[in-house]
Each structure stands twice: as structure tokens, then as C-alpha cells.
Amino acid sequence: MERSFAKEIQSLRLGAGATFQGEGILAVTKALLQSGVSYVGGYQGAPVSHLLDVLVQAQDILDELGIHLETCTNEASAAALLGASINYPARGAVTWKSIVGTNVASDALSNLASAGVIGGALIILGEDYGEGASVIQERSHAYAMKSSMWLLDPRPDLPTITRCVEQGFALSEASNTPVMMELRIRACHVTGEFPAKDNVAAKVSRNARLTDPASFNYDRLSHPPATFMQERLKLERRLPAAQEFIQERGLNELIPGDLQEIGIIVQGGLYNTLNRALMNLNLSDAFGRSRVPLLVLNVTYPLVPGQISQFCAGKRAVLMVEEGSPEYIEQAIHTILRKADINTRLHGKGMLPAAGEYTIEALTRGLLAFIKAEQPQIDISTGEAGFQTALDTRRAAQALIGPDLPMRPPTFCTGCPERPVFTAIKLVERQVGKLHVAADIGCHALATFAPFSLGNSILGYGMSLASAAGVGPLSSKRPLAIMGDGGFWHNGVLSGVASSIFNRGDGVLVVMQNGYTSATGVQYLPSSTGNRLDHQPGGSDIETTVKALGVRWVRRIRSYSLPEMVKSLREAMTTAQKGLKVIIADGECQLARQRRLRVTEAEALKSGERVVRTRFGIDDSVCTGDHSCIRLSGCPSLTIKLNPDPLRSDPVASVISSCVGCGHCGEVAHAAVLCPSFYKTEIVHNPTWWDRLSDRLHRTIIGWLNGKPAAIQPAAGE
């Protein structure tokens, strides 16, 4: 089901003297094993989804080291898992997706940070910021500041990333504070190598269990009156200890340069982009030998005032390269410089964009403004001219292409079982009128794009039903909430279903049960047919759960059964029965299904077994050129082509070879009362004698019906 990391996992066994090669997330996994971690966990989410995938597939290595792996149902449970480090000298690491995951985990994190930890606690965040992001544009920095947790932002190269993992645990223990480490998208997937170390078995693990629980100590609880003392400890003991550790271990990097009157302070994760921008102006090279002195902040919170002051002292001006807003680091440096009575000018936002991803182009423009304002005597004309030439070349290439290409929004995969549900909603809207549709996080959010354009709000993972609760009492029609099975178990079962029952809500909930958390890499769920560890049934069921909570109107419908889905949706919207109505749209994720079928079919073909593949097509002579099939399904396998009939000018619909035979297009044709132009074809591999005989008979009869004898053609496979 999931991507196999079998080859990469073998490198996790490398020991001292060997060289580890791979990408960022694999390096993080290896660093965890080298750090003597006792337990790991988390919730999947790009760009760190495969950190958990690798750990799951490396279960035998974890067993050898006695490491416990917990695949959590949401980020809050993952954060709470770190509570084991409050009382015991056990190192723990958890992971989740950026700011949205930290939002969910914030309650547990606040309490964890207040009590503090004895064992090292490391939180690995997939920082998803910029134009390539899939979430709201916020940063994790604010959480680190408000809860007094330390934040690492390692320079995107494997030796630095692995060192930050190892030192992150040590920093956590030295200051009794949880540590967050954000990995930007490029850092997660950067490739490289580093000297491996031996994996370390923790002193406390499943192979070396604690004999007695920790002695009761009220000061370890995040509860008044202990919390008042903990607040003082954060500022008076933990913060100075962290700053001292950062300084002594050299976690931040100083890169000298000959242009001593200026300098640049940069978040570690942006270093590679900054260096490339400096190269554009001939101020650095591919090996990072910068002419401008750089202070690379692999730890962005807390800052070390003495280190900042020492770097800025004696310089005319310093540029702070901090991606996103607010400019937390820039403000903090202003405070440090003013308190130290250092008059170095600090630039940041203004010369650099206030918001958005800091691309190479954006940083090059900012560097040009900085150099011209503060060191105009530096000759950067050659670099500037080259940069401008590159921009002009790109514009010229765009002009040759012609006008802007039409937007190509993302869409559902071919054969996705969620597509028919939204077709059904569009058909029902023709009968009952426009509906308020509360969308949710997940693959089904793609229905907000054309051709469906359904969704009035997205408030968070599993929050669609809760977001519709305020609309229902104010509307003459029942609101419709869409939720995936991943969102259901993550949050929706309590914040949505339980809340609706408690408040006697009268809405409609459609749960897309495709069997996986599909948008993050088809990971298993409590209601999946298997779980991550042993592939045995998970033991949970959505239908049983909602009925147990008190839902009386429940329908489980095969997603591809379009007429049945239309009928049930119409009934849910119009029935006089009050209360929450739940429709479970049951259909396995097509990507996961095709991955499974490809292996099964390949084995069957190899052994000579009969294999049947279904494809759909459109009869050109029957198609009217109405194209409602495309507008109502949006399948990528449905397109148009020139009409072969010279007397008809309208293009006809066509099914291309990527068709997976789900049958949705044909279902749409019948449900929408369109046309009978769709036909189904069965491609038979390794046909039996009956298949061959049937094929010959069919060809003969078709020839007779056409009024001419049919030439006997060899059957498929002959």
C-alpha cells in the first residue's frame, strides 16, 4: 500500500566508519537511532509523512533496540506521548505537519513545556511554508516563543540535520525543555551523505523496562500552584541554560567574509537559497565561501544576545533574512542591539518581501537593495547584469510560448471513489436547490475546484460538521458536511458527530471512507482493513461508532453507485426526520487499489492465469457533443477530440488510455439522462477456450447484423 523503503532501511544499520547516503528524512531517522531514543510517534503529514513510514517499515530494527513506536490518531495524542519524558530519563521524538499539526497539539505542548522534561523531548515539524505549501501560511516560531520551547531550523545539509537531531536531545536535557526542529520541504528531500555512527540502545526501553513508577512529585505537574514556579524556572533557569548550551556547542554557525562592514543573519533553513542568491552577485561560490560574513541560525529561538551583539558590533549594517511574518527574529535583534547600545543598522522586511516564500529571485533582489544602500562601492555590476539577463531570457521564453496558459487546478485521481459523490451532490442540487457545503482537509477538498466548485468553508481537519453547526439553524436547508475517514478519526468523531448529537443538530454528513489517510501517502487508519504494524484488522468501524454515539439515520453506500448515492442524498435533504444524517461513501482509494492490483495482475499474468481488465469508451457516432459527462465527472481520462463525422462540427467526448475502468462516466451518463454513447470493453489476457469461442461468435453475429459476412479474425491472445 505505502511506498516501500526496503532499500533505504538497510542503510539504517550502518555503524561507525561507514558513510550514510540518502535524503533528509532518512538522515533524521538514522540520527534518532544514533541518539538512544526510547520511544517515537507522531501523525502523518507532508513533508514529513515518510518519517513514520520508514519507522514502521524498520520495525525489526526498532525491536532490536527496544524502541516503542506509537502511530497516533492526531497530533495532540502525539504531543501527549512526550509526557513520558517528564518523569523518566527516556528520550522521545514525535513528528507532525507544521503549523496545522502544532495547532492541534498546542494544549499538550503548553502543559509539557510548563512542567519541563528530564529525558530529551524532540518534536520534528515538517515546516510547510511558501507557494509549494498545502496549508495556511503561518510559522511554528510563535508557538516556540509563547511556550518557551526551543526551535531548531537546521541548514539543509545532512551533516547539519543529523547533528541538530543529536544535539537537540542534549539541549532538551541540559535545559529541561522540549525542543522543536522544523524541516522545510527542501530540507526533507535534500540528498547527501554524512559519517554514520553506531545505533544506540536507550537505557530505558522496551528491552530495559522501568521497575517502579516515578515517585510522586507535585512540582512535575502542570497544575497550580506548581505552574507559577514553572513559569519562573522557564525564564530564570531553563532559558539561560539553553543559551549557554547553544553557545558552547556552536549550534549556530559563523561564516567569515572579507566585507567586514556588512553582514547577514539568516535562518538556517534558508541558507542554501541565500548562498545561491549571493552566487548570482558573485559574492559567494558553490562551496559556501561567502564574501559577506554570515551568522547562520540553526537555532532560531532562543537567540543568544552575546552572539548577536558580537556579530553586529563594528558593522555598518546587517540584513536579517527571515521568511514570513511577523518578523519575530528581526524584532528580537532590534531589542538586543538597542540594549547593548550597538548602532548597527538592521534591515529585513522592506528590502525583503513582508510575506511569501523567499525564492532565489526574491533574495537576489533584496541583496541588490542591501548592497546598493550600504556598500555601493562594491562592484556587483557583473552579477547584476547576469541576473537581469536571466530574467530577460525567461520573459522572452514566456513571450514565445504566447499568452498565459489556462489554469490547471489539481483534481481527483482517475477513478477516485470520491468523484461520484460530488457528481451526486451536483445532481441533487438540480432538484433541491443550492446547498451550503462545509468542506474539510483531505483529498475531497479538491472538489472546491472545477468542475464541482463545491465548498463554502474549510476550518480544519475533521472540523467540517462543526463548522456547519452555525449555518444549520440559520438556513432553510440542511447544511451538508464532507469529511474523510482520516478526518473522522482525527477530530470529527468528537468535535463533529458527538457535538451534533449533543446539540440536536439537523445536518447531513458524508464520510468518504476510502480506507486510508490518502492525501499524505495512504497510511492506515483505525477503520482500515489493516494497521501499520501487523496489517491485521484495526477493530474500529465508522458505522458502528456513529450509531453508538446516537445517530439513527445512517446509510452505507458504495461510492460508485451513483443512482443510489443521489437517492440517499435527496432523502437526507428532504426527510421530515430530524437529527444528524450520516452517509458513509464506501470506496477504496483508487491509487492504493491500483498499486495492489498491479502486483496481483503481474503475478497472475506471469503464471498464465486469466486476467480481465475493464475499460470504457465512447461511440463517436452516438456522442452528441453535449459534454455533460465531463462537466459532471471531471475525470482526467475524459477529454474531447475532433468529430470524425464531416457533417458535424462539435467535438466529441473521448476516453483515453489512462482509464482504470471504474465506470463512473457510464454511471453519469445514465443518472443525468445524457446519452447511450458509453460502452464497456473487457480486455482478456490468457483467454480460455470459452473466451476464444465467444469472441468468434460475437464477431460473426456482428458481421451478420452489419449486412456483410465478417472475416474470421483471431481472438485476443491468439
Side-chain angles (χ1 to χ4, degrees):
M1 302 303 169
E2 302 166 348
R3 172 188 165 189
S4 175
F5 293 93
K7 181 179 179 180
E8 293 91 337
I9 285 171
Q10 296 309 311
S11 61
L12 297 178
R13 295 185 178 277
L14 293 176
T19 299
F20 183 97
Q21 296 179 326
E23 64 174 26
I25 287 297
L26 270 297
V28 171
T29 311
K30 174 60 175 166
L32 290 174
L33 300 180
Q34 294 176 173
S35 299
V37 68
S38 298
Y39 62 98
V40 291
Y43 188 81
Q44 60 269 3
V48 290
S49 294
H50 60 299
L51 176 54
L52 274 178
D53 294 337
V54 169
L55 289 169
V56 167
Q57 295 179 34
Q59 186 65 52
D60 56 338
I61 300 177
L62 301 188
D63 290 341
E64 293 170 9
L65 297 172
I67 300 171
H68 172 64
L69 171 62
E70 187 87 6
T71 53
C72 305
T73 54
N74 61 27
E75 296 86 355
S77 62
L81 184 68
L82 290 175
S85 295
I86 293 176
N87 293 285
Y88 304 101
R91 288 185 167 183
V94 295
T95 181
W96 56 69
K97 177 186 180 75
S98 70
I99 189 67
V100 288
T102 310
N103 286 340
V104 177
S106 59
D107 193 6
L109 287 179
S110 294
N111 287 277
L112 179 72
S114 185
V117 295
I118 296 174
L122 183 65
I123 303 153
I124 301 164
L125 307 173
E127 191 72 354
D128 199 5
Y129 184 88
E131 292 183 6
S134 60
V135 296
I136 51 177
Q137 294 296 276
E138 294 182 5
R139 300 160 55 198
S140 303
H141 200 100
Y143 278 96
M145 292 175 62
K146 83 169 187 63
S147 296
S148 293
M149 294 182 292
W150 319 141
L151 179 62
L152 308 181
D153 186 4
R155 184 158 57 92
D157 74 276
L158 265 54
T160 303
I161 291 173
T162 54
R163 182 168 183 261
C164 281
V165 171
E166 296 168 350
Q167 293 297 318
F169 283 115
L171 171 61
S172 175
E173 291 165 348
S175 60
N176 302 121
T177 305
V179 171
M180 307 166 76
M181 185 178 78
E182 62 180 20
L183 292 175
R184 299 161 190 266
I185 296 174
R186 292 180 177 85
C188 289
H189 302 296
V190 68
T191 58
E193 62 183 36
F194 65 92
K197 300 177 183 177
D198 293 333
N199 295 335
V200 177
K203 295 180 180 179
V204 177
S205 70
R206 287 194 289 114
N207 295 344
R209 298 174 184 261
L210 296 161
T211 56
D212 296 301
S215 301
F216 176 75
N217 182 353
Y218 195 90
D219 292 342
R220 306 305 298 160
L221 300 177
S222 54
H223 195 271
T227 49
F228 307 126
M229 177 189 64
Q230 291 164 3
E231 183 68 10
R232 291 187 59 186
L233 286 175
K234 285 182 180 180
L235 300 174
E236 297 175 2
R237 187 176 301 174
R238 298 181 195 169
L239 177 61
Q243 292 170 329
E244 182 180 352
F245 184 94
I246 294 165
Q247 182 96 8
E248 288 182 351
R249 299 294 178 95
L251 295 186
N252 295 325
E253 300 173 82
L254 177 63
I255 299 176
D258 63 279
L259 301 175
Q260 290 296 319
E261 291 191 6
I262 58 175
I264 299 174
I265 302 175
V266 60
Q267 293 170 290
L270 293 178
Y271 169 79
N272 289 0
T273 310
L274 172 66
N275 191 65
R276 188 64 185 85
L278 288 167
M279 289 171 62
N280 282 342
L281 303 180
N282 297 323
L283 294 176
S284 187
D285 61 21
F287 297 97
R289 291 185 285 248
S290 172
R291 293 193 61 198
V292 181
L294 305 178
L295 178 59
V296 182
L297 298 178
N298 292 317
V299 184
T300 53
Y301 185 79
L303 299 177
V304 182
Q307 191 175 61
I308 300 294
S309 299
Q310 184 178 0
F311 179 78
C312 294
K315 289 182 170 55
R316 179 197 303 270
V318 168
L319 177 67
M320 178 64 230
V321 180
E322 177 182 7
E323 190 175 57
S325 288
E327 59 277 22
Y328 299 115
I329 304 175
E330 185 179 339
Q331 293 174 16
I333 293 177
H334 270 298
T335 301
I336 291 171
L337 296 183
R338 298 296 78 80
K339 286 184 176 180
D341 197 23
I342 296 174
N343 295 320
T344 301
R345 285 191 292 274
L346 182 66
H347 299 283
K349 304 301 181 186
M351 286 187 172
L352 292 167
E357 183 178 2
Y358 279 4
T359 61
I360 294 172
E361 181 178 339
L363 288 184
T364 303
R365 293 184 185 278
L367 288 172
L368 278 169
F370 177 63
I371 297 297
K372 289 180 178 180
E374 297 295 348
Q375 289 280 270
Q377 70 273 19
I378 300 176
D379 184 11
I380 55 173
S381 57
T382 304
E384 182 178 6
F387 174 64
Q388 190 60 50
T389 300
L391 294 180
D392 293 341
T393 302
R394 187 178 68 186
R395 293 193 190 99
Q398 291 173 339
L400 287 174
I401 295 174
D404 291 339
L405 294 173
M407 293 290 290
R408 298 184 63 186
T411 186
F412 295 100
C413 302
T414 301
C416 176
E418 298 179 359
R419 191 188 303 277
V421 179
F422 294 104
T423 298
I425 294 173
K426 299 289 283 188
L427 294 172
V428 169
E429 282 190 328
R430 292 180 176 181
Q431 302 168 6
V432 303
K434 193 66 179 174
L435 301 173
H436 176 91
V437 179
D440 209 311
I441 301 296
C443 294
H444 40 84
L446 296 175
T448 58
F449 296 112
F452 302 114
S453 301
L454 292 169
N456 296 86
S457 63
I458 295 179
L459 268 297
Y461 198 24
M463 299 295 289
S464 58
L465 184 56
S467 73
V471 177
L474 310 178
S475 175
S476 59
K477 297 174 185 175
R478 290 173 176 135
L480 174 63
I482 308 295
M483 189 184 299
D485 45 3
F488 177 87
W489 294 114
H490 177 274
N491 203 344
V493 64
L494 292 179
S495 64
V497 178
S499 180
S500 180
I501 295 298
F502 180 69
N503 289 285
R504 295 182 174 85
D506 187 28
V508 179
L509 171 64
V510 175
V511 180
M512 303 289 192
Q513 182 169 270
N514 65 21
Y516 311 90
T517 304
S518 302
T520 58
V522 290
Q523 287 90 6
Y524 289 121
L525 297 167
S527 54
S528 298
T529 54
N531 66 38
R532 295 169 81 74
L533 300 179
D534 54 19
H535 302 285
Q536 297 301 310
S540 300
D541 178 75
I542 293 177
E543 182 176 0
T544 303
T545 301
V546 297
K547 286 180 177 178
L549 288 172
V551 180
R552 297 181 179 179
W553 195 102
V554 184
R555 304 286 187 273
R556 183 193 293 264
I557 303 168
R558 179 177 174 270
S559 296
Y560 297 107
S561 301
L562 188 60
E564 186 66 23
M565 185 64 69
V566 170
K567 177 183 175 182
S568 295
L569 277 168
R570 184 172 56 245
E571 179 188 350
M573 288 296 170
T574 58
T575 181
Q577 181 179 336
K578 300 296 183 181
L580 178 63
K581 278 138 303 263
V582 177
I583 297 175
I584 301 171
D586 195 4
E588 184 184 11
C589 169
Q590 190 66 226
L591 275 180
R593 181 174 181 271
Q594 290 300 318
R595 287 169 182 162
R596 188 180 68 254
L597 288 180
R598 276 198 296 268
V599 175
T600 304
E601 289 180 357
E603 293 175 351
L605 289 171
K606 187 176 181 180
S607 61
E609 297 179 26
R610 180 177 183 269
V611 175
V612 180
R613 291 175 177 168
T614 302
R615 295 290 184 272
F616 284 79
I618 297 174
D619 190 332
D620 296 343
S621 63
V622 180
C623 177
T624 64
D626 176 72
H627 304 149
S628 291
C629 52
I630 296 176
R631 292 194 300 272
L632 281 170
S633 79
C635 178
S637 292
L638 271 175
T639 185
I640 57 174
K641 67 178 183 180
L642 294 176
N643 199 316
D645 188 340
L647 300 179
R648 297 164 59 196
S649 58
D650 290 337
V652 295
S654 178
V655 180
I656 60 177
S657 59
S658 59
C659 172
V660 296
C662 71
H664 176 43
C665 52
E667 290 271 9
V668 168
H670 293 295
V673 195
L674 300 177
C675 66
S677 61
F678 286 88
Y679 62 84
K680 182 171 74 172
T681 300
E682 290 186 345
I683 305 170
V684 181
H685 299 267
N686 299 324
T688 64
W689 65 269
W690 176 252
D691 293 320
R692 300 174 193 273
L693 178 60
S694 297
D695 181 69
R696 290 178 184 238
L697 288 173
H698 290 158
R699 291 172 185 269
T700 302
I701 295 171
I702 290 172
W704 289 341
L705 293 175
N706 285 333
K708 57 182 179 180
I712 302 299
Q713 300 291 334
E718 292 188 339

